[in-house]
Amino acid sequence: MSHEDVEIVILGAGISGLGAALKARELNLSSTVFEARSSAGGLLDNFEVQGFRFDRAVHLSFATEAKVREIFDRTPYLTHPADSYCFDESVWLKHPVQNNLFPLPASEKVALIESFLKRPETVQADNYESWLRHQYGDGIAERYPLRYTDKYWATPASALSTSWIGNRMRRAELGEILHGAFTSETPNTYYTKEMRYPVTGGYKAFIQPLIDDATIRLDHEVTAIESKNKVVRFENGNIASYSKLISTLPLPVIIKLLDDVPNDVKAAADQLKATSVDLVSVGFSAKLIEDLWFYIYDKDILASRAYSPSVKSPANAPAGCSSLQFEFYSRGDQSQFTPETLIENTRHALAKMKIGTPDDILFMDHKFLKYGNVIFDRGMEENRRIVLAYLNSIQISSCGRFGEWDYLWSNQSFISGYEAVK
């Protein structure tokens, strides 16, 4: 057992914790990052199966912040156009689907456009389902985003707020819908035009310089935080005293680790929910995959989306091979599926999408991540405010996707950690 006395203790060696460590170094402050897992990187970490490399879920960079690019651009990278596709009952459509109805039969296109023209004029207060019906009309909403919501958020759209949307969802415009119904020659309206990915080493290579420069203690899972004594206790018996504590832990997790938390804060934290993620990673013995990623609307396919590590970088697969990774979401930190169910359903998905043959499959690997995305339940923002206000009152800075409890991309998570050190 050891007892360290550290000026700044940082909990979590994901990108936000590493961003905090960088800022501390720039200010000539001593800091140590404590990580529960046996490797750094958090959600940006990766793993290998039979010579194939897979990230822990899909990651691509479109960062514009100068500080992020200063770090990421140290690593040689490839660029990809932000082209993605949608699979709907044996039909492949370009994304966003409402602007690319061209492959559908004429009768279906007419029905969807008529529904769009009859869409509701107003949105009910902070209701994502109402927002979708207002944007796209009942026909498009029910056929595409409402189905996808059930899979990706594992929560009914009517139970979600709209505060997370930003530019993530393309607003519907009649001219775009009509144009995409008549021709496949449609512009890319994605919120970024270019995606970047490291040449080698997976997405983690972008943050490897931060990992190399930080003082990190691996295999240190927090078991208790004594805020009055400014002490953190770990499962391995070690202890760290601090002057400043920065946490990237999920808000419901850190509240359970703290002593003397008021009941109203505990109740608010209990209401904060996130998705967990099952990953099924597939290695193919041939170059079968050309698309970077795609969304899946079919109800009989449990995955919400899939992406190709071998398209992101050829170094992610052995020569002459290719790969896909499918994402399955559950509400809460326990999966609603068994690994066997997911692997069998992935076989069904590949057959339905006509991707290769069973003989092309070298392996299917299953991994489970307890935290994927923050769920924006209606009223979540007030519960989040209560928890963050309490942490601030006991001088704990909470940052990152799950520390801010927000829909942050990797670049935003880095900035969140970087700015947490004052």
Side-chain angles (χ1 to χ4, degrees), residues 101-133:
L101 301 175
F102 181 71
L104 298 180
S107 60
E108 294 181 20
K109 287 187 280 190
V110 168
L112 293 174
I113 294 170
E114 284 183 337
S115 177
F116 170 76
L117 294 174
K118 297 175 182 177
R119 67 194 186 281
E121 294 182 0
T122 58
V123 181
Q124 295 177 17
D126 202 24
N127 180 318
Y128 182 47
E129 179 175 348
S130 178
W131 186 91
L132 289 172
R133 293 183 183 279

Side-chain angles (χ1 to χ4, degrees), residues 178-244:
L178 290 175
H179 181 76
F182 285 108
T183 177
S184 61
E185 298 299 318
T186 55
N188 184 337
T189 57
Y190 206 64
Y191 44 74
T192 183
K193 301 304 179 187
E194 177 186 271
M195 299 289 200
R196 296 179 292 275
Y197 189 84
V199 173
T200 60
Y203 197 79
K204 183 179 179 179
F206 275 147
I207 61 171
Q208 192 62 50
L210 298 174
I211 295 171
D212 294 340
D213 290 342
T215 300
I216 302 175
R217 304 278 186 264
L218 300 175
D219 299 309
H220 276 69
E221 183 174 354
V222 182
T223 55
I225 301 171
E226 301 172 11
S227 60
K228 292 179 181 177
N229 298 328
K230 295 192 172 183
V231 167
V232 181
R233 298 184 181 275
F234 302 96
E235 190 174 42
N236 58 17
N238 293 341
I239 299 171
S241 298
Y242 62 86
S243 298
K244 174 70 175 177

Side-chain angles (χ1 to χ4, degrees), residues 125-371:
D126 202 24
N127 180 318
Y128 182 47
E129 179 175 348
S130 178
W131 186 91
L132 289 172
R133 293 183 183 279
H134 164 69
Q135 281 292 316
Y136 308 121
D138 293 340
I140 292 174
E142 291 170 6
R143 182 163 177 170
Y144 300 114
L146 284 172
R147 285 189 194 176
Y148 188 78
T149 298
D150 288 340
K151 293 203 284 186
Y152 185 78
W153 295 105
T155 301
S158 60
L160 298 175
S161 73
T162 59
S163 62
W164 59 274
I165 296 173
N167 64 352
R168 290 177 173 89
M169 297 288 292
R170 181 72 178 178
R171 265 65 171 176
E173 295 183 12
L174 179 59
E176 290 183 343
I177 292 174
L178 290 175
H179 181 76
F182 285 108
T183 177
S184 61
E185 298 299 318
T186 55
N188 184 337
T189 57
Y190 206 64
Y191 44 74
T192 183
K193 301 304 179 187
E194 177 186 271
M195 299 289 200
R196 296 179 292 275
Y197 189 84
V199 173
T200 60
Y203 197 79
K204 183 179 179 179
F206 275 147
I207 61 171
Q208 192 62 50
L210 298 174
I211 295 171
D212 294 340
D213 290 342
T215 300
I216 302 175
R217 304 278 186 264
L218 300 175
D219 299 309
H220 276 69
E221 183 174 354
V222 182
T223 55
I225 301 171
E226 301 172 11
S227 60
K228 292 179 181 177
N229 298 328
K230 295 192 172 183
V231 167
V232 181
R233 298 184 181 275
F234 302 96
E235 190 174 42
N236 58 17
N238 293 341
I239 299 171
S241 298
Y242 62 86
S243 298
K244 174 70 175 177
L245 181 63
I246 296 176
S247 172
T248 70
L249 303 180
L251 293 183
V253 171
I254 191 172
I255 291 301
K256 287 183 171 62
L257 295 170
L258 285 161
D259 53 351
D260 299 326
V261 177
N263 288 333
D264 65 320
V265 177
K266 290 181 181 179
D270 286 342
Q271 294 300 311
L272 300 177
K273 303 298 179 183
T275 56
S276 52
V277 191
D278 287 274
L279 304 174
V280 173
S281 306
V282 187
F284 299 101
S285 59
K287 287 190 173 181
L288 303 176
I289 313 301
E290 297 180 355
D291 299 326
L292 196 58
W293 85 96
F294 53 87
Y295 304 93
I296 306 168
Y297 292 99
D298 298 31
K299 291 183 178 180
D300 61 320
I301 297 177
L302 300 176
S304 59
R305 63 184 184 183
Y307 80 95
S308 175
S310 59
V311 173
K312 289 201 294 187
S313 172
N316 283 334
C321 298
S322 58
S323 57
L324 276 175
Q325 187 178 77
F326 291 80
E327 297 179 352
F328 308 80
Y329 289 87
S330 298
R331 183 180 173 91
D333 61 5
Q334 302 293 319
S335 177
Q336 61 180 313
F337 311 107
T338 65
E340 295 76 16
T341 296
L342 296 179
I343 288 174
E344 191 57 37
N345 190 259
T346 300
R347 292 187 189 278
H348 164 69
L350 292 172
K352 187 172 186 179
M353 292 186 284
K354 296 181 171 58
I355 298 176
T357 69
D359 291 340
D360 293 318
I361 299 172
L362 293 173
F363 63 84
M364 289 189 176
D365 175 83
H366 172 264
K367 294 284 189 296
F368 176 70
L369 312 179
K370 289 185 70 172
Y371 286 90

